[in-house]
Amino acid sequence: MKQFQAIPLQTIEKSVITKNFLKDSRSLEGFIGVLRHIIPMTLSSRKLAFYNMFLDFLRVICLKIISNNQKQRQELMVSDSDFAHLLLQLDMATAIDNRVVLHSKYCEAKQFRPLKKQLCHYQFIVQLIAYYKHNDSQAPIGNAWKKMIREKKLDYEIRLCETLINLEKFEVGKKIKSPFSESYYTGSGENAFNNYTKQEFINYVTLIGETTALKNVLDIGCGFGNYIDALTVNNPAISVTGIELNPEVAASTKQKFKDNGRVTIVNNSIFNYQSNDKFDLILLNYVLFYFTHDEKVRLFKHLNSMLSEGGRILVCQYYSGIENMKVSLSSILGDTSLSKKIEIYYANKISYANTLWNNTVDVFKEAERFDKFCDILSSKGFSIYRICPADRFYYSFFIEITRQGEQSQ
Ligand SMILES: C[S@@+](CC[C@H](N)C(=O)[O-])C[C@H]1O[C@@H](n2cnc3c(N)ncnc32)[C@H](O)[C@@H]1O
């Protein structure tokens, strides 16, 4: 088994990028499309087929957005918008000056139309979502797909599609009202954790534990407490305080840990939480997009007062726009196989749709941006020490943060 490693940010930044396969792989989707007809459909190849359809699903959504925003076309198609970035990633448009121009194959008699194959893939994913939600045994999707859904092998992905289809309501300059309860997003996080991140998290905490005594941990926006569970099961010396804003989610998590004397769940905002305790490890897993820039500045000031000397902050988060860093990291980690590159390729594209969603839905304040995040950290006396992928797709990352000057401890 490959040894677990987290790579210092400085090493990633110094690594030379040779060929950026991840940025420019236009023929890849065609190749995967053909492959699915000639190789047996194993779980992995079916997942790849799913991701191929996912990109077409997003393309159809983009065309619907353009059709619905004809009057705001000028603003929609400026090249520095989240929407334009998504169009470029999906290879649907070209950037010319400060605008993006949709490829002519999508424009027909002043209408915007997807290609036939793209529409079929979109409709298939809509059926998958319907089966996932209603368990309708008559759904026309084939038994193998039904089995995958029943066995929860596509949970996170289908929930993501179920979320992103709401981008069809996108209106320039407006927020979309979230169609889901808060616990829906928290539940999606739970699926992602169980399917992808759990083992990496356990490994990362073990790595930190080699140099830092971990006794007292704070989990901010702890949701249903998956990370707390993994921490306490694997580390009998650790006590954890979970802070959760949402009353229903907090109540459910409190109930889950009611017999565990090492876990305290507090239903409060982190901004109102004060403690005399110092924490050796502070977790921020998929929570930063709930805060504005100014709130994050306040947050890190607050965390500085609660972090023990030599303590660590561990963030788990996804970002679009960090392809170069992913290329460097994957080459340092020896993740250079074709299958790995394909997985990263799909995850990259999908992250742009997630960025658009996080900047558009009313429950989130703004999508995370890696460069801005680094600026906030350095303004508050922190810096990134090490990074590693939090899942095999390089979708999310664990980012280990220390006070400046404390990295050698
Ligand atoms: C997407 S969920 C992630 C849950 C968990 N960390 C995980 O990764 O599975 C983010 C959680 O942060 C909570 N949250 C948002 N703002 C918060 C705040 N100011 N203080 C504490 N929790 C907050 C939300 O209610 C939500 O349950």
Side-chain angles (χ1 to χ4, degrees), residues 116-387:
K116 220 169 163 183
K117 169 186 79 90
Q118 295 169 347
L119 194 57
C120 287
H121 288 165
Y122 169 89
Q123 284 160 349
F124 189 76
I125 289 207
V126 170
Q127 298 284 359
L128 291 180
I129 298 171
Y131 180 75
Y132 177 80
K133 273 165 66 173
H134 309 300
N135 215 349
D136 170 11
S137 59
Q138 303 302 314
I141 55 170
N143 288 334
W145 289 100
K146 288 181 186 167
K147 185 164 177 276
M148 263 174 96
I149 292 175
R150 277 198 313 276
E151 291 176 354
K152 297 189 173 296
K153 299 273 168 40
L154 271 181
D155 258 38
Y156 180 70
E157 290 83 351
I158 295 201
R159 279 171 83 109
L160 191 55
C161 291
E162 190 187 8
T163 302
L164 295 177
I165 201 168
N166 290 287
L167 279 171
E168 291 180 5
K169 298 179 210 147
F170 179 92
E171 285 181 59
V172 173
K174 292 193 182 158
K175 284 271 186 187
I176 296 176
K177 188 167 164 26
S178 174
F180 307 110
S181 69
E182 183 52 58
S183 61
Y184 179 88
Y185 298 102
T186 314
S188 290
E190 186 168 33
N191 287 336
F193 181 75
N194 289 327
N195 281 332
Y196 299 118
T197 333
K198 187 174 179 174
Q199 193 53 49
E200 299 303 300
F201 174 65
I202 292 170
N203 291 341
Y204 211 131
V205 172
T206 307
L207 182 74
I208 295 177
E210 285 170 9
T211 51
T212 309
L214 297 179
K215 290 199 187 107
N216 217 1
V217 177
L218 181 69
D219 185 355
I220 299 171
C222 67
F224 292 127
N226 308 298
Y227 290 82
I228 298 179
D229 206 21
L231 266 177
T232 49
V233 166
N234 291 288
N235 305 278
I238 285 182
S239 297
V240 190
T241 303
I243 312 291
E244 175 49 55
L245 180 65
N246 183 278
E248 286 89 39
V249 175
S252 153
T253 311
K254 244 183 210 173
Q255 178 66 19
K256 180 171 169 182
F257 293 106
K258 70 179 189 327
D259 298 325
N260 189 335
R262 291 187 288 133
V263 176
T264 311
I265 303 298
V266 179
N267 177 210
N268 203 345
S269 166
I270 183 58
F271 296 107
N272 301 329
Y273 176 71
Q274 298 294 342
S275 166
N276 294 327
D277 291 335
K278 296 273 180 194
F279 296 94
D280 313 307
L281 177 63
I282 298 179
L283 304 177
L284 284 164
N285 300 320
Y286 301 109
V287 70
L288 289 168
F289 41 78
Y290 286 78
F291 308 137
T292 62
H293 179 275
D294 291 350
E295 284 169 339
K296 275 178 281 198
V297 171
R298 264 205 295 140
L299 175 71
F300 278 91
K301 188 168 176 227
H302 188 34
L303 298 192
N304 206 349
S305 67
M306 289 197 282
L307 191 66
S308 66
E309 205 176 308
R312 306 283 193 241
I313 298 172
L314 193 61
V315 169
C316 189
Q317 187 56 52
Y318 49 82
Y319 301 88
S320 55
I322 55 164
E323 288 79 10
N324 286 348
M325 196 172 91
K326 292 186 192 182
V327 176
S328 299
L329 189 57
S330 61
S331 107
I332 295 168
L333 290 171
D335 279 340
T336 50
S337 67
L338 180 62
S339 62
K340 179 61 66 185
K341 286 174 174 169
I342 291 171
E343 285 178 343
I344 299 176
Y345 171 86
Y346 286 114
N348 268 345
K349 310 269 165 193
I350 293 166
S351 74
Y352 281 83
N354 230 349
T355 293
L356 179 62
W357 175 251
N358 288 355
N359 273 330
T360 306
V361 70
D362 59 356
V363 285
F364 302 146
K365 299 275 176 58
E366 57 192 27
E368 275 305 284
R369 278 200 33 198
F370 190 71
D371 50 353
K372 285 192 178 171
F373 181 56
C374 293
D375 290 346
I376 293 174
L377 291 179
S378 69
S379 74
K380 291 292 134 206
F382 290 104
S383 60
I384 294 177
Y385 175 21
R386 295 179 288 198
I387 298 186

